[in-house]
């Protein structure tokens, strides 16, 4: 009997211990997702999440002489410590009971959030947050969280101090005449550049957050009185569908919101220039700015926009038209010159003038390779040199590209691997590709150039024509946020050709593009 009693007692003790352990586990599992009025409990939950990081600081203190415990949480390096010490800690730890003892917001031994926000804290950016997850997110982006015992909320204080570079001239879009400012990696600087471009009425900047694990702010900018509401709705809808852990650059956004990801042509324009963004907004387009990158996105776009530069409008219409016409010629030369060389040499030598044909045949007499192989050799060499020049340090990159191209071209001719006429063709092609103002379009044309060369090597001039027809049929069907990519050429709108190949005088361009379906079709001014 005594043995049975002893066993039953041990069993009860064991069950009691298990119940206690299970209760503790359930308490741990049921940790609050929201800030509670119990400071110690809230701090414990936050410390379990981010307390292991050495750069996250927890500072506990007592508010004045009230006896109320409080704590601040901030990340070293992201938050401004001077601002925290002078305008947060010194304000809260000072004895303000005498100053506010007659105020209804102050009660001895307790504090209201109104008293803290309106009378104690001398800082402008204050936000109330109830979710612990949101508190952690704000702290990890440079804000300071203030927790007060007895208040079931956290006050997020704007103390972010991120190191950013100064506003400089855009590197990828250099101009001879025009503003010398470009976007930076700071979203606040970029929005201020848009606001500072002029007193723009109804400029709307709508904020979103992208990224599931690493959240970043994203701004959708448009002019409310001009833009088509359906366009704004479509842009916001596609942005909300972005489902990634991290969005480090606007190129991610561009790829996730474009209409046809299989097309080699970019359907969203990227730019570093605030003046280009403002001009697009005035036409009824939408701009997208992402924190952490100087490249803004413009949507929708057309192919003709990719060949335009803001400088076209800063010069008079005659030189502006001439320069734009040169760009269209450069696009044709960049895309078709090597292919036409292969087609004429391999299939249609009879189409070449007799004297020129004799000269070309004489220069190629010692070349052991067909036209396709020698063209591929030179084109690939130029592309590798261009890529190497971009990746090398700036002082030696351009020099290496020029010297490397001269040495390889001269050595290849002397060795009899390529003909001198091909060196001229490749040089003309490379120079033409450099005149394209949009880098992403230049990459596309460089890729398609190799496709055109292969078509020329198979079917000659007929292959080049077929390639051109397939490419144009794809461009005609392509759309950017519902806007035809080849407009105003297709669909045909002669009235809008004033800003296509020819840039007519500004006084003749009084209407905004019809394809944008803007609320206000007329340009005021």
């Amino acid at each position: 009997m005594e043995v049975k009693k002893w066993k039953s007692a041990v069993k009860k003790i064991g069950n009691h211990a298990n119940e206690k352990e299970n209760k503790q586990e359930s308490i741990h599992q049921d940790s609050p997702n929201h800030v509670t009025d119990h400071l110690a409990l809230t701090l414990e939950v936050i410390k379990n999440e981010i307390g292991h990081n050495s750069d996250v600081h927890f500072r506990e203190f007592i508010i004045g002489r009230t006896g109320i415990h409080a704590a601040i949480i901030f990340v070293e390096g992201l938050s401004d410590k001077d601002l925290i010490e002078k305008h947060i800690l010194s304000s809260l730890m000072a004895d303000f009971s005498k100053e506010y003892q007659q105020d209804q917001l102050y009660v001895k031994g307790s504090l209201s959030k109104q008293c803290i926000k309106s009378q104690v804290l001398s800082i402008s950016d204050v936000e109330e947050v109830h979710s612990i997850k949101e508190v952690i997110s704000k702290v990890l982006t440079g804000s300071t969280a203030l927790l007060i015992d007895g208040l079931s909320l956290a006050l997020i204080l704007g103390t972010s101090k991120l190191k950013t570079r100064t506003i400089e001239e855009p590197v990828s879009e250099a101009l001879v005449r025009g503003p010398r400012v470009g976007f930076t990696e700071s979203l606040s600087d970029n929005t201020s550049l848009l606001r500072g471009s002029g007193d723009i009425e109804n400029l709307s900047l709508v904020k979103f957050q992208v990224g599931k694990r690493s959240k970043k702010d994203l701004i959708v900018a448009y002019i409310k009185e001009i833009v088509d509401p359906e366009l704004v709705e479509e842009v916001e809808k596609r942005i909300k569908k972005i489902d990634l852990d991290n969005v480090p650059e606007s190129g991610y956004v561009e790829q996730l919101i474009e209409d046809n990801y299989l097309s080699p042509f970019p359907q969203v324009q990227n730019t570093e220039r605030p003046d280009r963004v403002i001009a697009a907004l005035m036409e009824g387009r939408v701009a997208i700015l992402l924190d952490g990158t100087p490249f803004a996105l413009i949507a929708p776009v057309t192919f003709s926009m990719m060949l335009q530069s803001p400088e076209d409008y800063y010069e008079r219409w005659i030189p502006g038209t001439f320069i734009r016409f040169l760009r269209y010629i450069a696009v044709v030369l960049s895309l078709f010159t090597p292919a036409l060389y292969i087609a004429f040499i391999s299939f249609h030598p009879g189409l070449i003038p007799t004297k020129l044909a004799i000269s070309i045949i004489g220069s190629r007499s010692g070349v052991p390779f067909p036209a396709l192989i020698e063209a591929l050799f030179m084109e690939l060499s130029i592309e590798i040199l261009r890529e190497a020049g971009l990746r090398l340090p700036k002082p030696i990159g351009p020099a290496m590209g020029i010297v490397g191209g001269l040495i390889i071209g001269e050595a290849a001719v002397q060795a009899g691997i390529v003909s001198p006429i091909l060196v001229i063709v490749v040089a003309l092609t490379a120079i033409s590709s450099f005149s394209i103002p949009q880098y992403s379009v230049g990459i596309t044309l460089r890729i398609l150039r190799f496709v055109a060369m292969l078509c020329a090597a198979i079917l000659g001039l007929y292959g080049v024509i077929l390639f051109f027809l397939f490419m144009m049929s794809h461009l005609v069907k392509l759309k950017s946020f519902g806007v035809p990519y080849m407009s105003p050429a297709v669909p045909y709108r002669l009235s809008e050709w004033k800003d296509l190949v020819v840039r007519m005088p500004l006084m003749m361009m009084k209407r905004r593009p019809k394809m944008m379906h803007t609320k206000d079709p007329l340009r005021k001014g």
Side-chain angles (χ1 to χ4, degrees):
M1 292 293 294
E2 292 181 1
V3 175
K4 289 182 179 179
K5 289 181 180 179
W6 180 78
K7 286 183 178 180
S8 61
V10 171
K11 189 175 181 180
K12 288 180 181 180
I13 293 172
N15 292 336
H16 180 71
N18 290 333
E19 289 176 2
K20 187 176 181 181
E21 185 177 351
N22 293 333
K23 188 176 180 181
Q24 290 177 349
E25 289 181 358
S26 64
I27 291 173
H28 181 71
Q29 290 174 356
D30 297 335
S31 297
N33 295 322
H34 297 276
V35 179
T36 66
D37 57 359
H38 197 291
L39 177 63
L41 179 59
T42 304
L43 280 178
E44 183 181 357
V45 174
I46 297 176
K47 285 180 179 179
N48 288 335
E49 294 291 334
I50 60 174
H52 60 280
N53 297 292
S54 59
D55 58 344
V56 179
H57 294 276
F58 295 81
R59 175 71 163 87
E60 300 183 41
F61 58 94
I62 296 176
I63 300 178
R65 293 187 179 180
T66 61
I68 299 174
H69 290 265
I72 60 171
I73 310 169
F74 63 94
V75 177
E76 185 177 2
L78 294 181
S79 301
D80 190 344
K81 292 186 73 173
D82 292 337
L83 184 64
I84 293 172
E85 292 174 0
K86 294 179 181 178
H87 296 277
I88 298 176
L89 286 178
S90 61
S91 300
L92 290 170
M93 297 177 72
D95 183 15
F96 51 83
S97 57
K98 293 181 180 179
E99 188 175 354
Y100 301 119
Q101 61 183 356
Q102 301 299 327
D103 200 298
Q104 295 180 356
L105 295 177
Y106 173 77
V107 180
K108 188 175 181 180
S110 65
L111 282 174
S112 65
K113 64 182 180 182
Q114 289 85 358
C115 178
I116 293 292
K117 290 173 63 176
S118 61
Q119 297 178 342
V120 180
L121 290 175
S122 57
I123 191 168
S124 59
D125 189 4
V126 182
E127 179 186 357
E128 295 180 18
V129 168
H130 295 272
S131 170
I132 288 181
K133 186 176 180 181
E134 193 171 356
V135 171
I136 294 173
S137 175
K138 295 288 186 180
V139 168
L140 294 179
T141 55
S143 299
T144 298
L146 172 61
L147 302 171
I148 301 174
D149 196 20
L151 292 181
S152 57
L153 57 86
L155 297 178
I156 303 300
L157 313 177
T159 58
S160 178
K161 186 185 178 182
L162 297 177
K163 296 180 180 179
T164 58
R165 61 183 175 92
T166 58
I167 297 174
E168 301 171 349
E169 184 176 358
V171 178
S172 61
E173 297 173 273
L175 296 182
V176 176
R177 181 176 181 178
R180 302 294 181 183
V181 295
F183 289 129
T184 68
E185 287 76 12
S186 173
L187 185 60
S188 59
D189 288 347
N190 297 340
T191 54
S192 66
L193 285 174
L194 292 183
R195 293 288 186 189
S197 298
D199 186 10
I200 304 175
E201 297 180 2
N202 296 298
L203 175 60
S204 300
L205 302 176
V206 183
K207 181 182 287 188
F208 295 87
Q209 279 197 333
V210 291
K212 299 299 181 182
R213 297 186 181 275
S214 176
K215 296 185 182 296
K216 279 193 174 183
D217 290 333
L218 181 145
I219 294 289
V220 175
Y222 55 90
I223 299 178
K224 195 172 182 181
E225 283 190 350
I226 298 176
V227 72
D228 181 9
E230 293 183 2
L231 172 61
V232 177
E233 184 180 348
E234 181 63 24
V235 171
E236 293 179 351
K237 178 182 176 182
R238 297 189 189 187
I239 289 173
K240 290 176 182 178
K241 287 184 178 180
I242 295 176
D243 187 13
L244 286 178
D245 286 343
N246 182 31
V247 184
E249 216 277 333
S250 58
Y252 279 64
V253 180
E254 177 182 353
Q255 296 173 62
L256 293 170
I257 65 173
E258 62 184 358
D259 289 58
N260 185 358
Y261 66 91
L262 296 176
S263 173
F265 291 92
Q267 296 134 61
V268 179
Q269 188 177 33
N270 63 80
T271 180
E272 287 185 87
R273 303 196 61 87
D275 55 337
R276 189 192 285 270
V277 172
I278 292 296
L281 296 181
M282 290 296 179
E283 289 186 342
R285 306 182 196 275
V286 174
I288 301 171
L289 295 86
L290 180 68
D291 191 22
T293 175
F295 287 93
L297 303 177
I298 298 173
V301 296
T302 59
F303 184 73
S304 61
M305 284 179 60
M306 300 295 186
L307 303 181
Q308 296 173 2
S309 171
E311 197 172 7
D312 296 350
Y313 303 93
Y314 302 150
E315 295 287 350
R316 298 177 64 251
W317 73 276
I318 295 177
T321 299
F322 176 71
I323 295 171
R324 185 177 292 182
F325 186 68
L326 285 179
R327 289 198 202 105
Y328 278 90
I329 295 176
V331 168
V332 176
L333 293 176
S334 173
L335 187 57
F336 292 109
T337 304
L340 292 175
Y341 169 81
I342 295 171
F344 285 131
I345 294 298
S346 302
F347 291 88
H348 314 286
L351 296 177
I352 307 174
T354 305
K355 291 184 178 180
L356 180 59
I358 294 172
S359 176
I360 293 174
I361 292 171
S363 65
R364 295 193 74 252
S365 58
V367 178
F369 303 111
L372 175 64
I373 300 301
E374 63 170 339
L376 285 175
F377 171 76
M378 287 302 297
E379 285 292 338
L380 288 174
S381 300
I382 293 295
E383 294 299 328
I384 293 171
L385 283 172
R386 185 187 310 204
E387 186 66 18
L390 288 174
R391 307 307 165 197
L392 284 173
K394 288 184 179 179
I396 63 174
M400 193 283 301
I402 296 172
V403 174
L406 292 174
I407 292 174
I408 289 178
E410 181 65 23
V413 172
Q414 292 293 332
I417 299 175
V418 298
S419 60
I421 187 66
L422 179 62
V423 176
I424 298 174
V425 169
V426 172
L428 178 62
T429 303
I431 293 171
S432 299
S433 64
F434 289 143
S435 65
I436 299 172
Q438 198 73 25
Y439 179 73
S440 56
V441 177
I443 296 177
T444 299
L445 296 180
R446 283 153 59 185
I447 296 171
L448 293 177
R449 184 192 308 154
F450 288 96
V451 180
M453 291 165 61
L454 293 175
C455 292
I458 297 172
L459 295 174
L461 195 57
Y462 300 104
V464 177
I465 295 172
L466 285 174
F467 165 77
F468 175 74
L469 293 176
F470 277 115
M471 184 184 70
M472 292 307 298
S473 64
H474 170 71
L475 288 173
V476 167
K477 292 189 296 182
L478 192 62
K479 291 186 177 182
S480 173
F481 287 85
V483 174
Y485 198 63
M486 291 300 292
S487 59
V490 179
Y492 179 76
R493 290 191 182 99
L494 184 60
S495 61
E496 297 185 15
W497 280 43
K498 299 174 183 178
D499 194 24
L500 187 59
V501 180
V502 177
R503 206 280 282 173
M504 298 299 289
L506 294 176
M507 60 282 300
M508 295 181 64
M509 296 189 295
K510 296 182 179 180
R511 290 187 171 272
R512 296 187 174 91
K514 290 183 179 179
M515 58 187 172
M516 299 306 304
H517 304 290
T518 55
K519 293 180 180 178
D520 185 4
L522 295 176
R523 302 177 190 265
K524 298 178 181 180

